[in-house]
Amino acid sequence: MLLDQPLQVIRLADFDYPSTDQAHRHEFLMLLWVTGGSSVQMVDYRRFALSPGEVLFIREGQVHRVVRPAAEGWLVLFHASLYRAFTRAYPAQELHGLFDPLNRQPVIRLDEQAEAIYGAILPLLEAIVLEKPGETVISAYLSILLYHANQLFRPLHPFLVHPDQAEQVRQLKLLIGQHFRTERNAPFYSAKLGMVTRKLNALALKLTGQRVHKLVNDRLLSEAEALLGGSGLSIKEITFELGFIDHAHFAAFFKKRRGMTASAFRKQATSPYT
């Protein structure tokens, strides 16, 4: 769907990609802003109903399916290079809130100020991309959209957090993203961060609501779901791709956390009627 340029802006009223009603894994990132009508989107096999004024964010690697498209709104598709430019400009936003890879709440509602910003910037961004797709201002405009969306994110566990603690949890999330296939236990991550395991677990619980082992398992489950529904790999291949020693261990892990077998999930995830 995404063209060769690093960013694409589409008006939903003009959007016609029939294949989006099938589950597909993103090789890019996406912002979807609904301005008219209602919509139902599936992200990582979870349904989200969107109404006017709401924005959906989808990360690279997530599985997406359009169940019911919105009548009006905007779609912004962009490469990871532009997201990295955003996090360089706003480092505190990286892996935080809406952009947290462990976040299961990809929808936020714009307030009046943010709606005015989106309404002003998106037509400008659309015109610039069409006329001068290499303009550096494109990255700046996208950063403003991303920043204001994340400022409205409401976490499940809001706490006053010291900046050093926030940075430690950001580093933890980075490490989990790099090692979740092979390292599942908290002592590995606490050693990498130079912390006592008990203190790291307490910090993770305070800032995320979950201990380290649960954070790792959630990331592992998310990847398992994505591979089962969005790839052609066999379940045996997925078992070893995710670092399980055999199918029995993977099957037990998946059924315990998803409440169904991996094969039943794959059948459900790939059904056009789900």
Side-chain angles (χ1 to χ4, degrees):
M1 186 194 306
L2 187 63
L3 302 180
D4 291 336
Q5 66 259 35
L7 184 142
Q8 186 174 5
V9 180
I10 303 168
R11 295 175 186 255
L12 292 181
D14 303 326
F15 185 65
D16 183 22
Y17 287 92
S19 62
T20 59
D21 64 357
Q22 302 297 315
H24 54 284
R25 196 166 195 188
H26 274 217
E27 297 178 354
F28 49 86
L29 297 93
M30 184 183 98
L31 276 178
L32 184 151
W33 177 33
V34 176
T35 60
S38 61
S39 176
V40 177
Q41 310 276 331
M42 291 191 74
V43 181
D44 287 346
Y45 309 103
R46 290 164 177 81
R47 283 177 176 258
F48 298 93
L50 280 71
S51 56
E54 291 187 314
V55 169
L56 172 73
F57 174 71
I58 298 181
R59 299 185 311 275
E60 185 180 22
Q62 289 191 291
V63 178
H64 178 217
R65 178 184 168 199
V66 180
V67 179
R68 185 171 70 240
E72 297 178 1
W74 296 83
L75 192 61
V76 184
L77 313 176
F78 54 100
H79 286 170
S81 59
L82 289 176
Y83 177 73
R84 290 192 293 269
F86 163 69
T87 57
R88 285 195 298 270
Y90 301 97
Q93 304 295 312
E94 185 180 17
L95 304 181
H96 170 71
L98 198 62
F99 311 130
D100 184 345
L102 302 176
N103 172 47
R104 295 289 195 178
Q105 303 176 83
V107 179
I108 56 98
R109 175 168 290 281
L110 298 183
D111 60 16
E112 186 175 346
Q113 179 189 34
E115 280 202 333
I117 290 169
Y118 269 58
I121 286 180
L122 279 165
L124 291 173
L125 193 55
E126 177 188 42
I128 293 169
V129 168
L130 289 173
E131 296 173 11
K132 299 178 180 179
E135 282 289 302
T136 56
V137 74
I138 288 172
S139 178
Y141 278 148
L142 175 65
S143 291
I144 292 171
L145 297 178
L146 293 172
Y147 177 83
H148 282 279
N150 207 30
Q151 291 301 102
L152 296 168
F153 180 82
R154 298 290 180 264
L156 282 174
H157 303 277
F159 291 98
L160 293 176
V161 180
H162 190 280
D164 289 347
Q165 292 182 324
E167 176 58 19
Q168 287 172 322
V169 170
R170 188 185 75 83
Q171 291 293 334
L172 171 63
K173 291 173 182 175
L174 282 172
L175 287 169
I176 290 173
Q178 294 165 2
H179 299 287
F180 71 92
R181 290 176 176 83
T182 56
E183 302 294 341
R184 314 246 171 102
N185 296 313
F188 169 84
Y189 297 97
S190 60
K192 285 284 188 181
L193 293 169
M195 297 178 66
V196 175
T197 299
R198 175 179 54 80
K199 289 186 176 180
L200 180 59
N201 267 320
L203 181 61
L205 186 63
K206 176 182 176 183
L207 270 66
T208 71
Q210 299 178 44
R211 291 180 172 82
V212 175
H213 184 67
K214 179 66 162 55
L215 292 174
V216 176
N217 280 340
D218 282 356
R219 182 66 183 84
L220 193 61
L221 177 63
S222 178
E223 185 66 15
E225 291 172 346
L227 291 173
L228 286 166
S231 81
L233 295 177
S234 69
I235 293 178
K236 181 179 180 180
E237 288 171 326
I238 292 171
T239 295
F240 293 108
E241 169 72 16
L242 295 178
F244 289 90
I245 60 174
D246 56 35
H247 178 263
H249 283 82
F250 173 64
F253 168 88
F254 193 87
K255 188 169 185 179
K256 178 180 178 180
R257 287 158 182 84
R258 209 52 171 87
M260 64 176 72
T261 65
S263 57
F265 176 85
R266 167 166 271 178
K267 183 177 181 180
Q268 175 180 295
T270 55
S271 168
Y273 305 107
T274 301

